[in-house]
Amino acid sequence: ADVRGKTAFITGGANGIGLGIARALVKAGANVVIADIRDSSLAEARAALAADSQVETVQLDVTDRAGFARAADAAEARFGKIHLLIGNAGIGVMGPILDTKYDDWDWAMGVNFGGVINGLVTILPRIKAHGEGGQVVTTSSQSALIPVPMTATYTAAKAAVLGLMETIRGELAPDNIGVSAFLPGPVQSNIAMSGELRPEAFKQDSGYIDREAQLEKRPVSPLWMTPEEVGERVLAGIRANDLYILTHPEFAPGMRTRFDAILASMPDEPINQPRAEAIGFLLGN
Ligand code: NAI
């Protein structure tokens, strides 16, 4: 999709990757609406972008459906139309599966998957209605392709996001709405500070809280990719309407190993031709 003169709504856009995407889009001539739960970060992001005529900020918890509609209204009040939905807000809470309790599941799935759903339900009809087309980009993770140990809630949500983007791409193409899944490897960001965002309501039945406090002390490696670099990669992916936007070629052999294992598990039998025709629409050829 074109971005110059278009408006992007970016969840979790006040820090890290979302801010990097905002920066690339502003440079390319788009308007950006940064929606984020962290009020203080919103003011800092606006100052960092230094392009007030192209930038709007709105406080939003992506799990708040009524709030999402109000934020979309605010975006339209400022810039008229929303063309690009960048579903990027996410939290990095994780731990061993046997320590994972309901509050951990509910918070992680609520933000990392539910927040994406709320964005689609709120904003997709608005993009469809103005008829100018657009793009949906959702931040999944490299971990959706090569699962990382001890990240059950995180990886489950990110794999769900990937399947969701793959599923809706064909449906939205006739409306000139492109769809991309962004699957970054390690990026310099504030994700280790996610624990400070855990709502009181999700603190009673959690097995992760001590682990979250430890994670906050984890240093950010200078070898991880910068938000600026990934922002430019996302911009290129939007322009090309790439279904998959990846960042780290280091993961390619592991991805091949995984998919070879899946293919090796196929029943080693001849194809049943009438059956193949009956299910042809499912085969993805
Ligand atoms: P970050 O913590 O720097 O940025 C995330 C932003 O989302 C923050 O500004 C935070 O305030 C906001 N946010 C969190 N919960 C929210 C909610 N309920 N409603 C609205 N905003 C909320 O972290 P980062 O790394 O930039 O994360 C962005 C996305 O990238 C996430 O979806 C994350 O899972 C994903 N990701 C990050 C990777 C990394 O290495 N940093 C790798 C792969 C994926």
Side-chain angles (χ1 to χ4, degrees), residues 157-219:
K158 294 301 181 183
V161 159
L162 171 60
L164 178 56
M165 293 302 107
E166 290 176 307
T167 302
I168 67 176
R169 178 160 160 114
E171 282 180 58
L172 295 174
D175 293 309
N176 199 23
I177 302 171
V179 175
S180 304
F182 177 42
L183 303 135
V187 177
Q188 299 172 29
S189 81
N190 293 335
I191 198 165
M193 308 303 290
S194 297
E196 69 187 27
L197 294 172
R198 182 186 281 268
E200 282 304 319
F202 295 118
K203 285 184 181 168
Q204 309 316 311
D205 186 24
S206 168
Y208 284 6
I209 288 187
D210 293 343
R211 204 171 284 275
E212 277 162 26
Q214 288 305 312
L215 189 66
E216 291 184 3
K217 297 180 196 142
R218 181 184 77 181

Side-chain angles (χ1 to χ4, degrees), residues 84-210:
L84 300 101
L85 169 60
I86 318 283
N88 167 81
I91 46 171
V93 299
M94 43 198 72
I97 186 62
L98 288 169
D99 289 353
T100 311
K101 301 198 177 172
Y102 282 126
D103 280 351
D104 304 313
W105 277 112
D106 290 346
W107 184 37
M109 293 305 283
V111 176
N112 291 347
F113 186 49
V116 171
I117 293 170
N118 294 342
L120 290 179
V121 173
T122 306
I123 291 182
L124 253 189
R126 300 175 189 235
I127 300 177
K128 159 99 180 164
H130 63 58
E132 294 175 12
Q135 191 84 20
V136 175
V137 182
T138 305
T139 305
S140 171
S141 169
Q142 177 65 59
S143 68
L145 298 167
I146 303 178
V148 179
M150 313 271 205
T151 67
T153 61
Y154 187 78
T155 293
K158 294 301 181 183
V161 159
L162 171 60
L164 178 56
M165 293 302 107
E166 290 176 307
T167 302
I168 67 176
R169 178 160 160 114
E171 282 180 58
L172 295 174
D175 293 309
N176 199 23
I177 302 171
V179 175
S180 304
F182 177 42
L183 303 135
V187 177
Q188 299 172 29
S189 81
N190 293 335
I191 198 165
M193 308 303 290
S194 297
E196 69 187 27
L197 294 172
R198 182 186 281 268
E200 282 304 319
F202 295 118
K203 285 184 181 168
Q204 309 316 311
D205 186 24
S206 168
Y208 284 6
I209 288 187
D210 293 343

Side-chain angles (χ1 to χ4, degrees), residues 253-276:
M255 286 166 61
R256 193 165 292 119
T257 300
R258 177 189 180 211
F259 220 88
D260 284 349
I262 295 172
L263 286 172
S265 303
M266 270 290 177
D268 188 14
E269 297 161 11
I271 285 175
N272 175 323
Q273 207 52 48
R275 183 174 70 191

